[in-house]
Amino acid sequence: MAGFIFDQNPLFLPPLPTPTAPIHLLDLAAQHAAIQPELDAALQQVLRQAAFIQGPAVGEFAQELGAYLGGAQVIPCGNGTDALQLALMSLRLPAGAEVIVPAFTYVATMEAVAILGLRPVCADVLPDTFNLDPAAVAAAITPRTGAIIAVHLFGQCADLTALTALARQHQLALIEDNAQAIGATWQLTEGKAAFAGTVGEVGTTSFFPSKNLGALGDGGALFTRDAARATYLRQLANHGQTRKYYHEHIGLNSRLDTLQAAVLQVKLRHLPVWTAARQRGAAHYDEALGAVPGVQLPVRDPRSTHVFHQYTVTVEAGQRDALQAFLREQGVPSVVYYPVPTHLQPAYQYLGYQAGQFPVAEALCRTVLSLPIHPSLMPEQQGYIAAAVRAFFAGRSS
Ligand SMILES: *Cc1c(COP(=O)(O)O)cnc(C)c1O
């Protein structure tokens, strides 16, 4: 592992410590090995019961997740993108209505809007938290706006206080895309916090395997506190049927498999411990990287807890790609979430956006880097990763 840093600077840099085990971005095999007997029992039970669609585990999991989220109604569905589409369908917006989405998010947030014949309207994000800028949202509201989709990016809540106030003031629906922040909370008022995804009219999440609560395949869910909307969403997710073969709405075939629900029941019991491990990992990185010039650590909003779906730093202008390449050489994987802002994705050129319109999102696409943060990451591996980051910048400044 002779990195070019040592060639440049052979006298001053000690060799990096050797990691005890290969570093992965995500270690689902280790996670599953730790809970193997529970998973095996759950899978065997589904095989024995043989009710693979809408079997008992689906309703049980919905109940358990709702209880975990402070009593929200949970409607399971096929994946997180469908959850967004179903949330929008439940609003019954007129064709062509505008829906405000962040310019910096996973594309699914915008895709769900566009596929329904609604118009995505991008708004810029804040440079510190990477989440929707309420002032930019306010400026994007027109008489045609029907909804705002807030994304709780990387595990931390968007400003739900400001966005809820804006939504109320303009009579818009607030949808929370909570695919990345399950279990995070937002301080609504002094002494009153709510779980991410349960504040707006509808919340959505994804159980894609790499999410904090991940299935062994695709899965998703919606959250709402409104019983009538919950019933409607349940119908929409199952061909719009009110009872078998009676279809009152045009819906989707978007159900959570019983097998996935059974796996998620097991994993939900471990989620608090895994979240705490992510938070400890983030604190460890903060300490180890805090003094590195050239790296801006993830900024916490004091009103939100952060469940660290990603630990995302921003890197000094022009250095991000070189840092990523250096880390790769040292055996440290990292990812750029996301390299292209939503408004400049080729599929969305019809919206007429230009480069330069959302400068914060565009700058983030050039500077962000997500470091490994999964619950099985060991402190000595994190020490190695931090040493590699420091070595890169030490080499640059010499
Ligand atoms: C993962 C993700 C989605 C989509 O979820 P799928 O289950 O993959 O469809 C939507 N929004 C955000 C912010 C995500 O991270």
Side-chain angles (χ1 to χ4, degrees), residues 323-392:
L323 172 61
Q324 187 177 31
F326 176 74
L327 292 176
R328 193 182 305 118
E329 280 173 41
Q330 309 303 324
V332 177
S334 64
V335 190
V336 174
Y337 299 115
Y338 297 92
V340 181
T342 50
H343 67 287
L344 298 181
Q345 291 288 354
Y348 297 90
Q349 289 312 292
Y350 75 94
L351 296 171
Y353 289 119
Q354 307 293 324
Q357 261 180 289
F358 302 103
V360 178
E362 292 170 32
L364 289 175
C365 291
R366 291 188 295 267
T367 56
V368 286
L369 193 64
S370 298
L371 301 175
I373 186 77
H374 58 82
S376 323
L377 193 67
M378 292 178 291
E380 51 273 31
Q381 292 178 309
Q382 284 197 288
Y384 175 84
I385 294 166
V389 173
R390 283 196 300 272
F392 173 81

Side-chain angles (χ1 to χ4, degrees), residues 160 164 168 174 176 186 188 194-202 225:
L160 284 169
T164 305
R168 285 220 182 100
L174 179 64
E176 296 176 69
W186 177 260
L188 282 171
F195 279 94
T198 69
V199 176
E201 266 67 33
V202 199
R225 284 166 287 100

Side-chain angles (χ1 to χ4, degrees), residues 12 22 24 84-85 113 116 198-199 219 256 263 288 343 358 365 387:
F12 301 108
H24 305 291
L84 285 162
Q85 184 174 335
V113 176
L116 288 172
T198 69
V199 176
L256 182 67
V263 166
H343 67 287
F358 302 103
C365 291

Side-chain angles (χ1 to χ4, degrees), residues 23-45:
I23 297 171
H24 305 291
L25 265 175
L26 187 71
D27 199 348
L28 293 176
Q31 185 186 73
H32 294 155
I35 56 170
Q36 176 100 38
E38 287 173 83
L39 287 176
D40 284 347
L43 295 172
Q44 289 305 325
Q45 187 177 19

